[in-house]
Amino acid sequence: MARRSPDGLTAQRRAVIARREWLLDLEIRIPRASILDGVTNVYFELTREFNRLGPVAALSSGQAVVFYRLAIMSKDGDWIVREAPEACARVLSVLSQHGARHRPAAPLDVRWLCGGWSSHFEYVDQYERRVRCDFVSRPPRVSSDAIAAMFRAPAVDQAFPVVDRETLMRLKQTGRAKDYAVIGELARQLPPEEEIEWTTDVDRILELAVDAGGRSSRPSVRAALSGAGRAAVVAALALEIDELQQADRRRLAVYQRAAAPYLDEFRRMALDRLPLERAHEQACRLAEALLPQRPAEE
């Protein structure tokens, strides 16, 4: 049993509260705009370019983790793009201005985006950095309402377009083990009653269960509340994560099988060597012949 102070809080809980207060104070003293204005993060700058004429793309995945200050870098950029022809055209226009090439992937076209496909591009910037850009419009595990809410901002300059923490945690429920540590750290930025629904940290589940886990249906939280012991909580949490990993791997396998003929022909035609506008036109024609629009349904 964790030792509690006179105010009823454990030392670990007091440390968490202090950390949150420090983060809040940091945000007050160092506005996000001043951080994002730096030239060191090309993906933040691209996000601004995409959204200059209106909200069309929200930063997500690894660069969103950077935005929430849980990492200092990520090797590529991911965005959720608004599912509309004009949004795709805006993104393609910006990428073309940077001399981007179309990597082997589905076209950035609503006909395939609406089926869960992703589209990938790459260029080398003025600082000789390789810039990789990935787009989806219907990411897995994220509701259509949550996606629609991303693009309701009346003016892009009022807020930096980035997915919220809950959406980011859903995006990180992948087949990769390392993503679950990120989920655990993101969960620590939430209130206790929300954190316990997301955390992937056994110690946090054990600490939060009594005060915040009463309504939770998570097996790991129920195990903690039952008094079954740490080993039972560890086992329940491992099963939760494994189920999420296996579900994501099954989903990806469907797309990998469906994409194989298209990608083989894409590479044979060397579309990734063409100027972006030509490459995208040819990729659309090729996809019409070889890439099913909704493989998960088919």
Side-chain angles (χ1 to χ4, degrees), residues 112 258-266 284-292:
W112 289 276
Y262 166 83
L263 293 178
D264 287 344
E265 190 64 13
F266 188 110
C284 286
R285 287 197 292 269
L286 183 61
E288 288 170 352
L290 295 177
L291 194 65

Side-chain angles (χ1 to χ4, degrees), residues 61 140-141 168-181 183 238 240-253 256:
S61 200
R141 302 173 295 276
L168 183 53
M169 289 187 289
R170 292 186 185 281
L171 291 171
K172 286 295 182 181
Q173 290 175 329
T174 71
R176 301 176 302 188
K178 65 180 182 180
D179 283 336
Y180 292 86
I183 294 172
E240 287 180 37
I241 292 174
D242 185 67
E243 288 176 2
L244 291 168
Q245 288 179 304
Q246 296 308 318
D248 190 62
R249 289 166 184 163
R250 288 192 296 271
R251 179 188 66 84
L252 287 175
Q256 288 166 350

Side-chain angles (χ1 to χ4, degrees), residues 5 10 25 50 55 101 103 111 123 143 152 154 163 167 193 196 201 208 213 219-220 232 245 251 277 283:
S5 60
T10 64
D25 181 59
F50 293 146
R101 293 290 186 264
R103 290 166 55 206
R111 290 174 290 176
Y123 68 90
S143 71
R152 291 187 189 135
V163 299
T167 298
E193 63 276 10
I196 198 165
D201 184 329
L208 294 171
S220 56
Q245 288 179 304
R251 179 188 66 84
E277 185 175 353

